[in-house]
Amino acid sequence: MAKSRETFNKKEKEKLRQKKKQEKVDKKEARKSNEKSTDFEDMIAYVDEFGNITSTPPDPTKKRKEIDVDSIEIGVSKTIETEDDGAGRKGKVTFFNDSKGYGFIKDEQTQESIFVHVNGCLDQIQENDKVTFETEKTAKGLSAIQVKLVEK
């Protein structure tokens, strides 16, 4: 008598295939029987005054809050600019490269690092010098100009 060609592993794989096929057919039948409403009213969603999505329309008798459009600020900077922003600031040179002609000044008041180029200097500066300067807005941020050494 010859040995059967079907092994236990082959039988198990075939059972799994049949089971998956049956599950797929069952899911298909469930989708067909559970028809969704395509009514336009069921598709509409509303947003209430708190930003929550609801299915009920807003009450037209409620008074809406008026918002001043000019008071909305987009892209507010970290530091608030003052009227005398560019005039008479004091700081200390934290880094300056003589060969390349640029460096950075740390502002005493705001503790921010401000770029300085040799073209914006009135006096010769070095690292750790105390200076007074003005600032100008450039494409890459603030830049120090009119840089002078402070007399000791």
Side-chain angles (χ1 to χ4, degrees), residues 5-148:
R5 293 280 179 174
E6 278 193 35
T7 61
F8 177 76
N9 195 25
K10 287 182 182 178
K11 288 178 186 177
E12 290 298 313
K13 285 184 181 179
E14 186 61 32
K15 283 181 187 177
L16 282 175
R17 271 191 231 111
Q18 292 298 328
K19 186 177 176 184
K20 285 183 182 180
K21 189 175 181 181
Q22 186 61 41
E23 286 175 357
K24 192 174 180 180
V25 169
D26 292 343
K27 286 181 184 177
K28 185 177 179 182
E29 291 296 323
R31 279 195 305 268
K32 282 185 179 180
S33 66
N34 189 14
E35 289 183 28
K36 293 183 181 176
S37 173
T38 58
D39 196 23
F40 182 70
E41 290 297 320
D42 293 338
M43 289 189 232
I44 292 180
Y46 301 96
V47 178
D48 65 2
E49 66 267 16
F50 304 111
N52 299 322
I53 297 175
T54 64
S55 60
T56 59
D59 187 13
T61 60
K62 281 188 177 179
K63 186 178 180 192
R64 293 184 180 183
K65 268 197 291 186
E66 291 295 323
I67 298 173
D68 183 21
V69 178
D70 296 330
S71 68
I72 298 172
E73 292 184 28
I74 299 175
V76 178
S77 63
K78 290 181 183 176
T79 58
I80 301 170
E81 294 183 24
T82 59
E83 287 79 31
D84 61 340
D85 187 28
R89 296 170 82 172
K90 292 183 179 180
K92 182 179 179 183
V93 179
T94 56
F95 170 79
F96 193 78
N97 189 335
D98 288 322
S99 63
K100 294 186 179 178
Y102 75 93
F104 294 95
I105 300 173
K106 187 168 196 164
D107 190 1
E108 287 180 355
Q109 193 174 13
T110 62
Q111 299 298 318
E112 66 180 321
S113 187
I114 300 170
F115 177 80
V116 61
H117 193 268
V118 73
N119 293 345
C121 297
L122 300 176
D123 297 330
Q124 191 76 12
I125 61 172
Q126 300 175 15
E127 286 186 23
N128 299 322
D129 284 345
K130 297 217 181 239
V131 293
T132 60
F133 60 95
E134 296 178 12
T135 58
E136 71 174 355
K137 196 108 170 140
T138 62
K140 293 186 179 181
L142 284 179
S143 181
I145 56 170
Q146 305 292 324
V147 180
K148 298 180 197 171

